[in-house]
Amino acid sequence: METSVNENKQAAIAEYLAGRIENHGIKHQRDFNLCAHSFKVQIPNNSLLLKISDEFIDDHQIHDLLKQLNKWDIPALLVQDSDRIVVVGNDGVQFLARG
């Protein structure tokens, strides 16, 4: 069975995060309310939450997607404050409170 382009991008994002944040696993799921992909990074005694818009994922090749995440230093933004959600889209990075 052939893997979809989006599945390859999701795997690349999870691998990128795993290589930059010490973790106990990364869970991916769709957030249909925000039209985004959600990546929950399990860290000791907590978790970090990254959401990447469908549009951002669709508009970028894997290399460019990872390059942009690196440019914005997404792993550092996640680790800085586990009480917020880091949201990535074509307009840049935004933050939401975790509820």
Side-chain angles (χ1 to χ4, degrees):
M1 188 163 130
E2 200 171 308
T3 306
S4 77
V5 172
N6 270 355
E7 287 173 342
N8 289 336
K9 290 178 182 181
Q10 294 159 21
I13 293 165
E15 187 176 312
Y16 169 82
L17 294 171
R20 284 158 183 80
I21 300 172
E22 188 174 332
N23 67 85
H24 296 290
I26 297 175
K27 182 180 176 187
H28 167 264
Q29 66 183 38
R30 292 280 294 116
D31 182 333
F32 293 100
N33 291 331
L34 287 179
C35 296
H37 292 265
S38 181
F39 296 87
K40 187 174 189 177
V41 181
Q42 298 294 336
I43 58 172
N45 303 315
N46 210 342
S47 65
L48 309 172
L49 196 54
L50 170 66
K51 295 187 184 275
I52 303 179
S53 75
D54 291 343
E55 183 180 44
F56 186 82
I57 289 177
D58 291 344
D59 289 352
H60 294 83
Q61 297 298 318
I62 291 173
H63 171 77
D64 297 325
L65 206 161
L66 299 179
K67 183 178 175 181
Q68 195 63 41
L69 295 180
N70 202 48
K71 178 182 173 185
W72 288 328
D73 203 5
I74 296 301
L77 293 177
L78 286 165
V79 172
Q80 281 175 7
D81 186 356
S82 63
D83 290 331
R84 67 182 179 188
I85 302 167
V86 177
V87 181
V88 171
N90 282 340
D91 294 334
V93 179
Q94 298 177 5
F95 304 98
L96 299 174
R98 286 179 81 167

